[in-house]
Amino acid sequence: MADAKRRIVFLGPPNSGKGTQAEILAKDLGIPAISTGEMLRVAVAAGSSLGNRVQDVMNRGDLVNDGLMAEVIRDRLSQADAASGFLLDGYPRTTVQAATLDEILGEMRAELDDVVLIDAPEEVLVARALGRGRADDREDVVHERLRIYREKTAPLIEFFEVKGLLRRISGDQPIEEVSRQVKASMGATVG
Ligand code: AMP
């Protein structure tokens, strides 16, 4: 592999397939896929103090506050496995979180290499969510999560685009085709 220390962010609305693609690419590259949503679900299931603090917010489809998320991500990125690169799935989700990530990267003397946006038409996202059966997949919550994505997270698309980091991929295709395009979008330094 040309660059072992690759640092990647995956961006996209709920049910775009971003989590699946994040796992595939991270495995290919030998870097940890860090899903903040998954970390929080594990905390909720374990009944930890973090889990208790975030459970209600998650169930209504809202975002956990930026201060708490900063603690979660700072702690995770300080672990040894993240020193050789990482793929973030679900962080940053707000402009404040993007600033926090910049700060953490600065402390690590590191930079992001790629931001992958996986997107799909709204009707595809809703249909997928309703077929999935997770606790936050009730129809009203699905629409709330999409509304919050558009309001709070979608502005990050331009933020990363102007930095020249954004790779846009359609998530409305078979999984294998999406993953092929994701890998191709990384350019010649991966493979
Ligand atoms: P996900 O699996 O990424 O869709 O995340 C599931 C839920 O976890 C979200 O709807 C939020 O409530 C919470 N969550 C995950 N990541 C973040 C984040 N970066 N900022 C705030 N809330 C988050």
Side-chain angles (χ1 to χ4, degrees):
M1 199 180 308
D3 181 12
K5 284 200 194 290
R6 209 159 187 95
R7 297 181 184 86
I8 302 169
V9 163
F10 266 52
L11 206 59
N15 297 292
S16 60
K18 130 183 108 61
T20 303
Q21 294 299 330
E23 298 252 337
I24 294 172
L25 183 66
K27 196 163 176 227
D28 266 9
L29 298 178
I31 55 178
I34 298 175
S35 160
T36 45
E38 189 55 29
M39 289 171 70
L40 297 176
R41 279 188 290 279
V42 167
V44 169
S48 70
S49 68
L50 172 65
N52 293 335
R53 287 168 75 184
V54 301
Q55 185 164 26
D56 290 348
V57 175
M58 288 178 77
N59 283 344
R60 60 170 191 266
D62 207 345
L63 294 183
V64 174
N65 78 73
D66 291 330
L68 190 51
M69 290 311 301
E71 284 177 40
V72 169
I73 202 69
R74 192 176 276 282
D75 182 63
R76 181 64 186 86
L77 291 181
S78 71
Q79 290 172 29
D81 65 338
S84 56
F86 52 77
L87 189 160
L88 294 179
D89 166 19
Y91 193 98
R93 267 220 188 31
T94 66
T95 51
V96 171
Q97 292 182 12
T100 300
L101 179 60
D102 262 352
E103 199 180 298
I104 297 171
L105 287 166
E107 291 162 12
M108 296 172 98
R109 301 195 192 293
E111 286 182 6
L112 282 184
D113 296 293
D114 310 276
V115 176
V116 178
L117 170 66
I118 313 253
D119 210 348
E122 175 128 355
E123 60 273 21
V124 172
L125 301 172
V126 172
R128 283 182 184 170
L130 298 179
R132 191 170 66 166
R134 217 169 70 182
D136 54 357
D137 282 343
R138 272 185 14 233
E139 187 156 8
D140 53 337
V141 180
V142 167
H143 286 286
E144 180 63 4
R145 295 174 85 223
L146 276 168
R147 188 186 69 73
I148 290 180
Y149 170 78
R150 273 189 242 100
E151 181 185 314
K152 305 249 176 76
T153 308
L156 295 180
I157 296 170
E158 204 197 331
F159 175 84
F160 288 121
E161 184 145 54
V162 299
K163 291 177 186 263
L165 295 175
L166 197 74
R167 332 277 179 230
R168 283 178 197 263
I169 312 285
S170 165
D172 190 16
Q173 313 181 77
I175 290 177
E176 298 70 29
E177 181 56 20
V178 178
S179 75
R180 195 191 62 72
Q181 291 182 10
V182 166
K183 197 166 176 185
S185 78
M186 299 280 114
T189 53
V190 175

